[in-house]
Amino acid sequence: MDDRWNRLPVAYNGYYNTSMYDYSIETEKLFAKQFSSKKSKMLLQMVKESGIGTAKILDGPLGTVAECSVDFGMDYNGMLWLIEVNGFPQKALYDDFPQKERERIFKNPILYSYYIANKKVDS
């Protein structure tokens, strides 16, 4: 899996909702500013595994999930909390992301759909 997906919107101070956000930052850079290298790596792995695990759980009982976003919050102790899972993420939130990342945000659901279609044909 390509780890360059690690960019997130940072909510305004005192807010948890990122529908309107202060700025976006690479998750790795944010964690590196806040935590030790060891804890930062652990948190990145937790986010990745939790996001992929959530998608795997949902993909099946609900049909094929071509796209979802998993929203996490983090408390002042560095504890991650799953807030919600969105079946159709708001892509307008990513307007200020670098061009290559925006392209990936739009391409990945299409590529996954292509993968699933070919997988079903091969079965």
Side-chain angles (χ1 to χ4, degrees):
M1 175 180 200
D2 187 347
D3 284 337
R4 292 176 291 171
W5 62 270
N6 289 326
R7 177 175 281 279
L8 55 95
V10 177
Y12 288 105
N13 192 24
Y15 292 80
Y16 68 91
N17 189 323
T18 58
S19 291
M20 294 175 58
Y21 58 93
D22 194 12
Y23 62 95
S24 67
I25 187 172
E26 291 178 37
T27 309
E28 190 171 349
K29 288 181 182 177
L30 178 66
F31 286 176
K33 283 174 35 175
Q34 302 293 323
F35 306 105
S36 69
S37 177
K38 182 178 178 181
K39 179 147 184 159
S40 178
K41 286 178 185 175
M42 180 193 71
L43 288 169
L44 284 170
Q45 190 64 30
M46 285 174 60
V47 168
K48 182 176 179 178
E49 288 175 6
S50 298
I52 292 170
T54 299
K56 285 181 178 180
I57 289 168
L58 294 176
D59 198 37
L62 301 176
T64 301
V65 178
E67 176 179 36
C68 71
S69 67
V70 182
D71 294 353
F72 293 97
M74 181 180 291
D75 64 25
Y76 290 106
N77 297 316
M79 182 72 173
L80 289 172
W81 298 89
L82 187 137
I83 296 174
E84 67 179 343
V85 178
N86 298 293
F88 189 71
Q90 297 180 36
K91 293 199 174 44
L93 291 175
Y94 310 111
D95 287 346
D96 72 330
F97 283 27
Q99 179 66 28
K100 287 212 179 259
E101 289 183 38
R102 285 197 322 269
E103 287 175 10
R104 192 172 26 261
I105 287 166
F106 285 93
K107 278 185 186 177
N108 280 349
I110 296 166
L111 293 173
Y112 181 69
S113 296
Y114 180 78
Y115 165 78
I116 291 297
N118 284 325
K119 186 175 175 184
K120 288 183 179 179
V121 169
D122 293 341
S123 297

